[in-house]
Amino acid sequence: GSPERMARLDPHSHADSAQPRARHLKLRLAVDFEARRIDGEAALRFDAPAEGPLDLDSKALEILAAVSDSGVSVPFEVGPEQPILGQRVRLLPPGTREVRLRYRTSPRAPALQWLSPEQTAGGAHPFLFSQCQPIHARSLAPLPDTPRHRVTYEAEVEVPEPLSAVMSAGAEGEAPGAHPGTRVFRFRMPQPIPPYLLALAVGRLESRELGPRSRVHAEPETLERAAHEFAETEAMIARAEELFGPYDWDRYDMLVLPPSFPYGGMENPRMTFLTPTLLAGDRSLVDVVAHELAHSWTGNLVTNADMEHFWLNEGFTVWAERRLLEALHGEEATVLAWAIGEKALEESMERFGKSSPLTRLRTDLAGTDPDDAFSSVPYEKGARFVTLLERTAGRARFDRFMREYMARFRFTSITTEEFLGFLEGELPGLAARVDARAWLYEPGLPPNAPVFRSERKDALVALGQGFARGERPAASTIAGWTTAETLVYLQSLPRETGEAGCAWLDAAMGLTGRGNHEVLVEWLTVAAGSDFQPAFERLREVLLTVGRMKYLRPLYAAMGRHERTRALARRVFAEAAPRYHALSRRVAASVIEKYPEDPAS
């Protein structure tokens, strides 16, 4: 290719590293719930005077105008729509430090989920939230949408009263808006972030202080429960700092979203987005918070250069989350967390096939939509690789290495190969000793994968595996189990358990009535896979209200085993699809497409 092509380092972006870099982004956004659009202005400030061509990413955006810092019109051309990348916006600035683009988003913007009032907890006001990871920031604003091009940003967001806005940035106050019945919220993010960490949410929100540097935001109906669930956040931040070094983002606030949020959490800096399915009432699911908090170091501070190196974000973060879990709750709890993760890893490996290139840590994603490559592999296989490095180097030495790693690369975005180079320099020969090449560049799970054992875990697995032979845990045993123990037991049960077995489980463990979604969904996958009709109503309810992909995939998959559950799945999906986030809709549709045809369907 031409030298111009050579500087395109990210397979999912038009951004060209040979061109001047945008260092700061200034956004002015007016949120229009009627039209489901944002009217925006994005000002990009460059590190050197920009003379064209200058390439940006956009998707489903309407670019209306571009002007230089002196107000001179800047010529631009918008390229053809490409399936994954969207449209290249090529600016031809006449030597300017700043370009201001006026634009409008589309109601179909993949980054934006518009909820009608009935899809919220309050039921009276609409809600908007963004999800820019992996490559959707380009549908919120025209910019170089690659983690290699980090920006600081400021924003003002105009929203209708009585709604308020939050962003992945420091709040800088609010004022009456330019239009009657509106308010403007201002934000500033002084630390440079990859564009996928841009985040915005607008709704009827209230907040509650949790500690000196953390608060939780939620709809008023959800706030009390959220404040109770996340009460220990400050202690968690302090513990994380002991392990990973100072917290570099000033605040750690959280936002509990409506149920259609497609992820468990999203580590937007200063404003972690969380699913309401974490609100179990007993703080048993806060390891998702530990995960998103750990991203403040691994992912947000040191970032993957692009989606082919996603394991650098997620593998290190799952490792860090489990180190944090161990510090807070001991080794036993951590072994169970590894066991639950192992189940997820096995399911992903099975879904792709053991020899699929998508089971490598270092992937090659040119021409592949990163949303289609998403799985537990970078998380769980990645965390096992990091743990192998830790065990081989020794914990004390590896912890020192991690501090050095984060100090060396803080606020930068790196590749697998840069990580390996640093590893070799600091811990010579370690990569070779663990056969890092096999872990990173080969599919499947290498034979030297670390094993996580405890008597507790073995006993629970044995008990679950004995179910088919008639073994049943005593009521007193069940009553003493933690959420993680209950989960490990349920995961060890046969995926199809006859009517009588299901009835016993539900009666003995009160499963259908559980409010804890991890336990509930694990049970409902067994119940659906067993064609157990008494659970159908609860199954339907969960599929209609929860948009978390982690739950939708196994539930719809389990329903594929029987004619009656397939019919139910198709009916429920038809009703639920309009409420799901686009990502969740795609996951559910891809599972249902693989069902065998039934005579009546």
Side-chain angles (χ1 to χ4, degrees), residues 160-381:
E161 292 182 307
L163 307 186
S164 41
V166 295
M167 288 192 82
S168 54
E172 298 267 291
E174 56 178 283
H179 303 91
T182 65
R183 294 195 74 68
V184 167
F185 291 80
R186 292 198 177 80
F187 304 93
R188 209 169 66 80
M189 175 48 98
Q191 291 93 353
I193 59 161
Y196 72 77
L197 290 178
L198 273 171
L200 165 71
V202 179
R204 187 87 179 89
L205 296 173
E206 289 179 6
S207 70
R208 177 70 43 86
E209 298 298 318
L210 298 173
R213 51 186 165 171
S214 58
R215 70 173 68 97
V216 63
H217 299 257
E219 290 184 71
E221 296 73 13
T222 311
L223 190 62
E224 283 308 314
R225 286 166 60 216
H228 169 79
E229 209 75 27
F230 305 129
E232 292 154 11
T233 302
E234 185 60 42
M236 202 185 265
I237 302 170
R239 212 20 113 57
E241 287 189 308
E242 286 168 27
L243 287 170
F244 314 125
Y247 179 77
D248 258 326
W249 303 90
D250 305 315
R251 291 195 62 85
Y252 183 75
D253 293 345
M254 293 172 285
L255 169 68
V256 177
L257 287 150
S260 62
F261 184 54
Y263 293 98
M266 178 61 209
E267 66 273 14
N268 302 311
R270 295 174 188 243
M271 190 61 68
T272 280
F273 283 15
L274 295 167
T275 169
T277 60
L278 302 183
L279 305 178
D282 59 3
R283 302 180 184 160
S284 59
L285 301 181
V286 295
D287 49 354
V288 170
V289 177
H291 181 89
E292 307 314 334
L293 173 63
H295 266 304
S296 307
W297 289 267
T298 49
N300 296 3
L301 196 58
V302 183
T303 306
N304 52 222
D306 61 56
M307 294 311 297
E308 298 188 326
H309 308 278
F310 188 50
W311 80 274
L312 285 172
N313 277 19
E314 297 301 350
F316 277 100
T317 299
V318 171
W319 168 83
E321 165 203 342
R322 299 214 171 119
R323 283 293 304 272
L324 192 48
L325 198 63
E326 185 186 323
L328 293 164
H329 302 295
E331 202 172 327
E332 189 66 68
T334 314
V335 171
L336 296 178
W338 283 107
I340 292 161
E342 190 171 338
K343 194 88 194 322
L345 179 59
E346 281 166 12
E347 281 165 10
S348 293
M349 292 272 191
E350 231 161 272
R351 179 160 61 90
F352 290 139
K354 295 265 191 285
S355 57
S356 161
L358 292 178
T359 66
R360 298 174 357 194
L361 287 180
R362 164 62 162 100
T363 50
D364 176 4
L365 296 179
T368 299
D369 187 327
D371 280 323
D372 293 339
F374 184 79
S375 79
S376 298
V377 172
Y379 294 76
E380 296 292 345
K381 182 182 175 181

Side-chain angles (χ1 to χ4, degrees), residues 294-575:
H295 266 304
S296 307
W297 289 267
T298 49
N300 296 3
L301 196 58
V302 183
T303 306
N304 52 222
D306 61 56
M307 294 311 297
E308 298 188 326
H309 308 278
F310 188 50
W311 80 274
L312 285 172
N313 277 19
E314 297 301 350
F316 277 100
T317 299
V318 171
W319 168 83
E321 165 203 342
R322 299 214 171 119
R323 283 293 304 272
L324 192 48
L325 198 63
E326 185 186 323
L328 293 164
H329 302 295
E331 202 172 327
E332 189 66 68
T334 314
V335 171
L336 296 178
W338 283 107
I340 292 161
E342 190 171 338
K343 194 88 194 322
L345 179 59
E346 281 166 12
E347 281 165 10
S348 293
M349 292 272 191
E350 231 161 272
R351 179 160 61 90
F352 290 139
K354 295 265 191 285
S355 57
S356 161
L358 292 178
T359 66
R360 298 174 357 194
L361 287 180
R362 164 62 162 100
T363 50
D364 176 4
L365 296 179
T368 299
D369 187 327
D371 280 323
D372 293 339
F374 184 79
S375 79
S376 298
V377 172
Y379 294 76
E380 296 292 345
K381 182 182 175 181
R384 280 158 177 74
F385 175 55
V386 179
T387 300
L388 180 62
L389 293 173
E390 177 195 355
R391 288 183 176 182
T392 311
R395 179 169 279 192
R397 180 64 194 95
F398 189 72
D399 282 358
R400 210 156 64 242
F401 165 80
M402 283 303 296
R403 293 276 187 128
E404 289 156 2
Y405 168 65
M406 290 187 280
R408 165 71 180 79
F409 294 112
R410 64 196 285 272
F411 297 115
T412 68
S413 303
I414 67 167
T415 63
T416 301
E417 292 67 33
E418 286 170 290
F419 167 75
L420 280 175
F422 184 74
L423 179 67
E424 195 52 42
E426 298 294 319
L427 297 170
L430 180 60
R433 273 168 68 201
V434 301
D435 196 4
R437 284 208 64 79
W439 276 89
L440 296 165
Y441 301 101
E442 301 294 325
L445 194 65
N448 64 345
V451 176
F452 304 90
R453 300 254 344 237
S454 76
E455 283 177 23
R456 194 86 205 84
K457 182 205 141 182
D458 292 348
L460 289 160
V461 170
L463 198 52
Q465 289 172 344
F467 192 86
R469 296 190 301 277
E471 286 178 36
R472 301 286 182 268
S476 57
T477 304
I478 292 168
W481 283 345
T482 64
T483 296
E485 289 169 331
T486 304
L487 261 178
V488 169
Y489 173 71
L490 291 175
Q491 290 185 339
S492 309
L493 293 171
R495 295 295 90 182
E496 285 199 45
T497 299
E499 177 94 17
C502 282
W504 185 89
L505 283 165
D506 201 11
M509 299 179 71
L511 293 166
T512 302
R514 295 271 182 139
N516 183 310
H517 276 77
E518 289 292 314
V519 171
L520 179 62
V521 170
E522 191 59 41
W523 155 243
L524 290 175
T525 55
V526 172
S530 309
D531 198 20
F532 182 62
Q533 194 164 7
F536 284 5
E537 194 37 53
R538 187 78 164 110
L539 179 60
R540 189 176 165 276
E541 202 182 308
V542 170
L543 291 171
L544 283 173
T545 52
V546 175
R548 191 174 170 188
M549 295 187 290
K550 176 187 177 179
Y551 297 153
L552 297 183
R553 192 189 299 280
L555 288 172
Y556 280 113
M559 293 169 87
R561 290 174 177 240
H562 305 276
E563 191 175 332
R564 197 161 54 159
T565 50
R566 285 193 290 270
L568 176 64
R570 292 188 176 106
R571 278 201 311 278
V572 171
F573 179 64
E575 192 182 337

Side-chain angles (χ1 to χ4, degrees), residues 14-253:
H14 290 108
D16 190 322
S17 296
Q19 299 171 354
R21 289 244 178 154
R23 294 294 181 196
H24 184 72
L25 170 67
K26 196 170 179 177
L27 290 172
R28 290 177 59 189
L29 308 174
V31 178
D32 181 345
F33 278 98
E34 298 292 292
R36 296 196 160 193
R37 288 180 180 273
I38 292 175
D39 288 289
E41 184 180 277
L44 291 162
R45 198 168 306 140
F46 305 104
D47 56 5
E51 301 204 49
L54 193 74
D55 295 329
L56 308 176
D57 294 302
S58 76
K59 191 163 205 171
L61 292 180
E62 209 181 317
I63 311 285
L64 305 169
V67 297
S68 74
D69 47 9
S70 56
V72 177
S73 183
V74 170
F76 66 92
E77 54 198 49
V78 178
E81 175 73 36
Q82 292 174 271
I84 298 165
L85 290 179
Q87 297 174 288
R88 179 183 76 183
V89 176
R90 174 161 279 183
L91 300 168
L92 300 160
T96 177
R97 284 306 277 259
E98 189 173 290
V99 173
R100 261 196 340 270
L101 295 105
R102 245 175 8 88
Y103 68 93
R104 285 202 321 196
T105 65
S106 155
R108 294 182 320 284
L112 302 174
Q113 168 94 351
W114 302 87
L115 302 178
S116 56
E118 55 271 22
Q119 289 172 283
T120 66
H125 297 281
F127 200 103
L128 164 69
F129 67 83
S130 69
Q131 169 58 34
C132 288
Q133 195 180 32
I135 56 166
H136 303 307
R138 65 195 66 183
S139 66
L140 173 62
L143 42 72
D145 190 9
T146 171
R148 291 169 186 271
H149 290 221
R150 301 175 82 103
V151 290
T152 51
Y153 82 90
E154 58 195 287
E156 38 187 77
V157 185
E158 184 181 83
V159 303
E161 292 182 307
L163 307 186
S164 41
V166 295
M167 288 192 82
S168 54
E172 298 267 291
E174 56 178 283
H179 303 91
T182 65
R183 294 195 74 68
V184 167
F185 291 80
R186 292 198 177 80
F187 304 93
R188 209 169 66 80
M189 175 48 98
Q191 291 93 353
I193 59 161
Y196 72 77
L197 290 178
L198 273 171
L200 165 71
V202 179
R204 187 87 179 89
L205 296 173
E206 289 179 6
S207 70
R208 177 70 43 86
E209 298 298 318
L210 298 173
R213 51 186 165 171
S214 58
R215 70 173 68 97
V216 63
H217 299 257
E219 290 184 71
E221 296 73 13
T222 311
L223 190 62
E224 283 308 314
R225 286 166 60 216
H228 169 79
E229 209 75 27
F230 305 129
E232 292 154 11
T233 302
E234 185 60 42
M236 202 185 265
I237 302 170
R239 212 20 113 57
E241 287 189 308
E242 286 168 27
L243 287 170
F244 314 125
Y247 179 77
D248 258 326
W249 303 90
D250 305 315
R251 291 195 62 85
Y252 183 75
D253 293 345

